[in-house]
Amino acid sequence: MTDSQSLEMTEERAIATLSQAAAAFCNGGDRPSAKTLVAAMLAAESAARHQKTPLTFENLLGQWRLCFTTTARKARRRGIRLGSGFYWPQFVPAQIGFASDEAATNQGTITNQVTLGGLWLRFTGPCRFQSKKNLLAFDFTKMAIGAGDRPLWQRTLREESAAAFAARAIAKLPFFAFFQATPHFLAARGRGGGLAIWVKQSDFYQSDC
């Protein structure tokens, strides 16, 4: 599916579909089909692009569980071609987290972790948020493998000062372009063109998700 091939959908219906997917992923229930959810994400992204409503770094802070994702590839003369997308399997929890260094800045730390069979693989590094475009740029500088609360192996991928990271151009960094950030879910497009939805970790299996 290309962006231009998405189903027509109003912004209100698109947001309702994203909310339904997030709630169903948390607590069970009827999930929108992958095709419907991708169309809703594209409609919500288009609405956010036209409205240019700025988000804040504070909107992203906390721990989030990956709910749904798509692959993407560049298609000649057709822009980005999205894969059909799929709900992330819950027996392999994938989490992303954002923490702020200082309330007055848009800089902080990103954590990305996948858990399987009691073992986890975690990447961490600096991130910074650009509210003008709702972009969060990041770079993973450390990785670790562990079990429970205990790391079993750790490695520094690269050394870089906070000032050096802040000076790097966003065009040279991976990033997420967020187009929805609610107390219960986030939705964004990655630099590679894929789309993703995350649900608030504290909402998982809670009645108010």
Side-chain angles (χ1 to χ4, degrees):
M1 174 187 288
T2 63
D3 289 7
S4 61
Q5 291 174 319
S6 63
L7 299 176
E8 290 188 9
M9 187 178 294
T10 64
E11 179 186 5
E12 182 178 359
R13 181 186 168 198
I15 302 305
T17 301
L18 268 60
S19 297
Q20 178 187 351
F25 190 76
C26 287
N27 301 317
D30 293 333
R31 297 179 177 182
S33 69
K35 183 177 181 180
T36 298
L37 189 51
V38 170
M41 295 173 77
L42 291 173
E45 181 185 41
S46 178
R49 186 184 301 119
H50 285 90
Q51 294 171 5
K52 298 182 179 179
T53 303
L55 302 175
T56 68
F57 189 29
E58 186 177 1
N59 294 138
L60 312 181
L61 300 183
Q63 295 293 322
W64 306 85
R65 179 85 69 90
L66 183 59
C67 166
F68 184 89
T69 187
T70 74
T71 57
R73 63 181 177 84
K74 291 184 178 180
R76 186 177 299 178
R77 295 190 299 275
R78 293 185 180 182
I80 297 295
R81 178 173 289 275
L82 294 173
S84 58
F86 61 96
Y87 286 92
W88 190 261
Q90 294 186 14
F91 65 88
V92 189
Q95 294 174 243
I96 194 167
F98 306 105
S100 176
D101 290 341
E102 296 181 18
T105 72
N106 282 330
Q107 298 186 32
T109 302
I110 182 174
T111 303
N112 194 17
Q113 177 176 306
V114 177
T115 303
L116 178 62
L119 292 175
W120 48 259
L121 171 65
R122 179 186 299 158
F123 293 89
T124 59
C127 64
R128 71 178 192 266
F129 186 71
Q130 186 183 90
S131 57
K132 185 177 181 180
K133 295 184 177 181
N134 294 336
L135 287 177
L136 183 127
F138 61 92
D139 189 20
F140 292 125
T141 57
K142 297 180 180 180
M143 68 177 296
I145 297 173
D149 296 328
R150 185 164 61 97
L152 304 176
W153 178 84
Q154 301 180 75
R155 179 182 179 183
T156 297
L157 302 177
R158 68 178 62 83
E159 297 283 357
E160 184 177 45
S161 68
F165 172 75
R168 291 174 66 184
I170 287 182
K172 296 182 179 180
L173 292 167
F175 61 77
F176 292 118
F178 289 91
F179 52 88
Q180 278 291 308
T182 79
H184 301 300
F185 69 88
L186 303 175
R189 184 186 289 270
R191 179 177 177 175
L195 301 171
I197 299 174
W198 299 265
V199 298
K200 192 77 169 184
Q201 177 65 28
S202 59
D203 283 353
F204 207 73
Y205 293 125
Q206 299 297 317
S207 61
D208 62 347
C209 180

